[in-house]
Amino acid sequence: MTQFDLKKHFSNGKLLLTGEYVVLDGATSLAVPTKYGQDLVIQPIKESELIWGSFTNEGECWFEASFSLPKLRLTSATFNSDKEGSSEVIAETLQNILQEAKKLNPDFLQTENGFVVKTNLTFPQNWGLGSSSTLINNIASWANVNAFDLLWNAFSGSGYDIACAQNNTPIFYQLENKKPIIEKTSFNPTCKDELFFVYLNQKQNSRDGIAQYRKNNNNIQSEIKTISELTNAFSLAKTSTDLDKVIIEHEKIISSIIQLKTVKTKLFPDYFGEIKSLGAWGGDFILATGNEDSLSYFKNKGYNTVIPYNEMVL
């Protein structure tokens, strides 16, 4: 790679359609990669440093950091945002991911020359489509290491988001003995034009959601089995009526496990279709079945980001 060669990695965003929370304990879930994602562009430089810049979907640099190589010492960091979090915390998180990648591949960043690295999101940061998972998968790809190992060494989670980052079709995802089982599938219901993703603008910390789930998940083997069956039924649904039945049952089971009201009961009791939470309950996106009146319904309630299924899913 000459000094001016650019290397680029891209990872898809993700949405978990079924199996939220219980995917951690072996339930089969259905997940879809999104058309939105994040890339990572690497340019070699002569200096022995790693200069990092993270950019929003509007091209604004929201985080910058520099590390000396090869020891990855943090030399500077700036964070341009009014949101919570400081440049040091974000820089230390990034440093941790890079150090874990080095442990998995000791040759990674073991160089006298350095790099300018830029990451570019193609979706708004607060959408919860996987700014962390796409970053981890891109870094794993750059470092030539296993992205699931990198995720679990640096963070936690089920890993379905890494699987979405790497696949361009819907997938069944299951953890068996802490190993990911990924099966490509063709979720292609005839009612796709009756499905909408609605952004609730209440970004959830999935770690908090998982902690809440862990408090209440004793003896749920039968529920896990039922959710796996519902995942299969969801994937085979042809009409919105079929999907509605699965969604009602699925929401009821997860609601009883995590002891939270369903999003329909809480926010949209008068909605004419069905609504399913995706990922950590209470924030990010929901899936709604509906029709041409769905957009005006949600917009009248103050939810302006309503994305038809085909515009969101890869």
Side-chain angles (χ1 to χ4, degrees), residues 50 52 67-74 91-110 139 142-143 145 149-150 153-154:
L50 175 62
W52 192 282
F67 303 88
S68 63
L69 292 177
K71 295 201 171 170
L72 264 181
R73 283 202 190 96
L74 178 64
E92 282 164 15
T93 302
L94 173 61
Q95 184 183 39
N96 179 43
I97 297 168
L98 294 169
Q99 284 170 337
E100 292 297 341
K102 272 174 77 74
K103 286 179 194 170
L104 292 167
N105 176 7
D107 292 335
F108 178 54
L109 298 179
Q110 201 64 31
I139 290 174
W142 176 27
V145 301
D149 291 341
L150 183 56
N153 291 356

Side-chain angles (χ1 to χ4, degrees), residues 81-308:
S81 176
D82 54 2
K83 298 192 180 70
E84 61 180 275
S86 70
S87 54
E88 287 77 18
V89 171
I90 293 167
E92 282 164 15
T93 302
L94 173 61
Q95 184 183 39
N96 179 43
I97 297 168
L98 294 169
Q99 284 170 337
E100 292 297 341
K102 272 174 77 74
K103 286 179 194 170
L104 292 167
N105 176 7
D107 292 335
F108 178 54
L109 298 179
Q110 201 64 31
T111 169
E112 286 181 17
N113 299 333
F115 305 93
V116 172
V117 175
K118 291 181 180 175
T119 69
N120 306 282
L121 283 168
T122 66
F123 57 89
Q125 227 177 330
N126 56 348
W127 273 12
L129 293 182
S131 43
S132 299
S133 55
T134 51
L135 174 66
I136 285 173
N137 192 62
N138 283 336
I139 290 174
S141 185
W142 176 27
N144 199 23
V145 301
N146 184 297
F148 292 97
D149 291 341
L150 183 56
L151 170 74
W152 290 323
N153 291 356
F155 297 114
S156 58
S158 70
Y160 88 86
D161 44 7
I162 295 294
C164 286
Q166 298 176 354
N167 283 281
N168 295 330
T169 65
I171 55 166
F172 289 125
Y173 184 86
Q174 185 183 22
L175 281 176
E176 202 171 87
N177 300 321
K178 299 190 176 173
K179 288 205 171 74
I181 297 169
I182 302 153
E183 183 190 334
K184 292 183 180 185
T185 184
S186 55
F187 176 59
N188 195 22
T190 51
C191 61
K192 276 206 284 201
D193 58 349
E194 299 168 53
L195 300 179
F196 304 89
F197 294 102
V198 184
Y199 182 57
L200 297 186
N201 202 20
Q202 297 288 322
K203 182 156 174 54
Q204 296 297 295
N205 183 320
S206 49
R207 274 168 286 192
D208 294 345
I210 290 167
Q212 169 75 10
Y213 163 67
R214 287 287 179 224
K215 277 190 214 164
N216 301 314
N217 72 334
N218 296 329
N219 304 315
I220 56 166
Q221 284 314 306
S222 68
E223 287 91 338
I224 286 171
K225 184 171 180 288
T226 304
I227 291 290
S228 294
E229 289 164 359
L230 289 171
T231 290
N232 191 49
F234 193 100
S235 74
L236 295 172
K238 292 296 175 219
T239 66
S240 55
T241 309
D242 294 340
L243 273 180
D244 286 348
K245 286 178 190 161
V246 177
I247 288 169
I248 291 164
E249 185 64 19
H250 193 296
E251 288 284 280
K252 195 168 122 190
I253 292 169
I254 301 297
S255 171
S256 71
I257 292 171
I258 61 173
Q259 296 176 14
L260 289 176
K261 284 182 180 174
T262 67
V263 71
K264 185 170 183 182
T265 305
K266 200 170 155 192
L267 297 177
F268 309 109
D270 59 342
Y271 182 59
F272 50 84
E274 287 307 324
I275 291 175
K276 186 178 179 313
S277 287
L278 307 174
W281 276 33
D284 298 345
F285 280 93
I286 54 172
L287 176 69
T289 63
N291 56 34
E292 63 275 4
D293 296 328
S294 297
L295 274 78
S296 54
Y297 171 88
F298 289 110
K299 289 188 177 178
N300 287 339
K301 294 267 187 183
Y303 299 93
N304 293 315
T305 303
V306 182
I307 303 174

Side-chain angles (χ1 to χ4, degrees), residues 10-15 31-37 164-170 185 187-188 192 197 308-314:
F10 181 84
S11 293
N12 306 319
K14 49 71 182 180
L15 285 166
V32 289
T34 65
K35 291 179 178 177
Y36 301 95
C164 286
Q166 298 176 354
N167 283 281
N168 295 330
T169 65
T185 184
F187 176 59
N188 195 22
K192 276 206 284 201
F197 294 102
Y309 184 94
N310 285 328
E311 288 178 26
M312 174 71 90
V313 176
L314 198 58

